[in-house]
Structure formats: structure tokens, C-alpha cells
Amino acid sequence: EDQVTQSPEALRLQEGESSSLNCSYTVSGLRGLFWYRQDPGKGPEFLFTLYSAGEEKEKERLKATLTKKESFLHITAPKPEDSATYLCAVQAGSSASKIIFGSGTRLSIRP
Amino acid sequence: SAVISQKPSRDICQRGTSLTIQCQVDSQVTMMFWYRQQPGQSLTLIATANQGSEATYESGFVIDKFPISRPNLTFSTLTVSNMSPEDSSIYLCSALLAGAYEQYFGPGTRLTVT
């Protein structure tokens, strides 16, 4: 069964303290892995798509990487406005465009 | 990318009634989806809204409870029927653009059933 697991569930950092969020997955034939940001009371905001192991993508203080078993979202020198829930999702080759979401990591950045 | 709007943004409904949520996309998309997100939890796919045909429902979700329409390429509705307090949740629609794998989401509809 296709599965996505995110860790940690919650992470509290001081402003400027870099860290990484983990997304491990087991799917039959990965078609794409997605990272989203979700602020309270809003819909998920698309950040990145990764397609194959070794791929990396960057946007401001965020960098996403992908291996054959997991993805990391690295946050460098975070600011309070980076506080949000970060969701990982995967699309398997057999899923006909359906994506499966992980449970998310709630990130809180203290000033 | 796509801009997706939903109506209403929130509602408080009584047990036993029904609510229809509308989703409008600003461009033509290949697929549209409906999700449910319960407080503090992740997203669960309810169904894929197929244009001009019946929606495809995920396990645990049935058409009688969650009828879905998609009359054209940019618009879909989800009805939550015969509501109970367990239906209190955020309902999100999403869309998939041609040639893309990532889905774009609407702002959500927060439903409270009393």
C-alpha cells in the first residue's frame, strides 16, 4: 500500500536556526513528490515538485531534495513568517493523478 | 499555476440539512478533486470530479452522501448531504493543469454542523 510518513510532527526553532523536515515514502513507481505549505485557515500552497532521486529544488530559504526512499525540506536561517504546516505528498505511477498526503510537520519559528 | 475560488468560505449548518460548495478555476484544467481536512489532520481525498460523467469516489465516501457535479472544465460542486456533526471539517477543491503533476488548491470551506 502506498504510504507517506512525515517527521517530526512539530518543530519549534529559533529565528535563524536551520533544520530539516523529513518525508519518507513507499509507493509503487513514484511519478512525483510534492511539497506544500499550509497556513492556518487556508488551502495548501504549492512549493516544489521532485521527480527523480538526486533532484533538488530551491526557493528562498527552502531547499527540497529527493532520494529513492525519502525527501527532505531544508530550511536555512528561517524567519517567523516561515511558520506554517508543511505537507508532503506523492503520486504513484498507478494512481491516475491521485496524490497521497502525509500528516504534515507544524513548524514554528520564534523571533 | 491556477487561481481557485470556493464558495462559501465558511458555514454553520444544522444536523440533517445539506450544503453545496462551489469551486471555480480561472483556467481550463484536466482534473478536479475534492478533499476533506479534519481539524489538525492531513488531507483525505473524497473523489475525483469528472467532467460530464459521474465522479470517482474513494473508499469510505459514497455518492449519496457527497454528490459531485462538474458541468464544464472550470467549475465543480460538492454537496454534503444529511449532515451530522461528524461532517464538520474543511472541504478543499483542487485542480490539475494540463501537462502538470502538481495540484493547486482552493482556500477551503470550513463547515460546522450543529
Side-chain angles (χ1 to χ4, degrees):
Chain A
E1 182 182 345
D2 299 333
Q3 198 165 8
V4 181
T5 303
Q6 290 188 247
S7 62
E9 286 187 15
L11 181 62
R12 296 186 70 187
L13 300 172
Q14 199 69 36
E15 183 173 1
E17 180 185 1
S18 301
S19 188
S20 296
L21 313 182
N22 177 263
C23 171
S24 63
Y25 62 90
T26 50
V27 294
S28 51
L30 180 71
R31 184 174 287 184
L33 184 142
F34 313 95
W35 283 98
Y36 289 85
R37 168 188 171 133
Q38 187 173 28
D39 293 298
K42 296 189 177 181
E45 173 190 349
F46 170 72
L47 293 173
F48 304 110
T49 305
L50 301 167
Y51 296 101
S52 58
E55 190 173 0
E56 298 181 352
K57 293 230 176 128
E58 284 188 69
K59 179 179 180 180
E60 295 181 357
R61 295 176 292 282
L62 300 176
K63 178 179 176 181
T65 62
L66 181 65
T67 73
K68 289 186 178 179
K69 294 183 179 180
E70 58 192 348
S71 176
F72 292 94
L73 185 65
H74 307 277
I75 301 177
T76 302
K79 299 182 178 182
E81 53 262 42
D82 295 321
S83 297
T85 295
Y86 290 86
L87 297 166
C88 170
V90 298
Q91 184 183 38
S94 60
S95 69
S97 300
K98 291 190 305 185
I99 60 176
I100 302 167
F101 279 87
S103 55
T105 294
R106 291 189 311 279
L107 177 65
S108 175
I109 309 298
R110 302 188 300 271
Chain B
S1 65
V3 176
I4 302 175
S5 59
Q6 285 184 234
K7 289 181 185 180
S9 58
R10 58 177 63 222
D11 208 340
I12 301 172
C13 300
Q14 293 205 345
R15 181 195 298 262
T17 62
S18 298
L19 176 72
T20 295
I21 302 167
Q22 298 179 6
C23 177
Q24 178 74 55
V25 188
D26 71 341
S27 54
Q28 291 189 356
V29 297
T30 56
M31 300 182 78
M32 295 180 73
F33 305 87
W34 287 97
Y35 289 83
R36 182 170 74 183
Q37 186 175 30
Q38 298 190 301
Q41 310 227 347
S42 192
L43 283 73
T44 301
L45 181 64
I46 297 172
T48 302
N50 300 309
Q51 194 245 329
S53 64
E54 196 169 285
T56 304
Y57 290 84
E58 297 300 304
S59 176
F61 298 97
V62 295
I63 187 171
D64 290 345
K65 175 68 176 177
F66 297 102
I68 288 170
S69 77
R70 189 180 169 194
N72 58 51
L73 288 173
T74 63
F75 184 78
S76 178
T77 66
L78 167 75
T79 299
V80 186
S81 303
N82 188 25
M83 289 184 283
S84 66
E86 293 71 39
D87 294 320
S88 297
S89 190
I90 297 172
Y91 292 85
L92 294 146
C93 74
S94 73
L96 186 67
L97 301 178
Y101 288 105
E102 62 271 9
Q103 295 180 19
Y104 292 89
F105 285 83
T109 295
R110 183 181 293 273
L111 171 62
T112 303
V113 184
T114 60

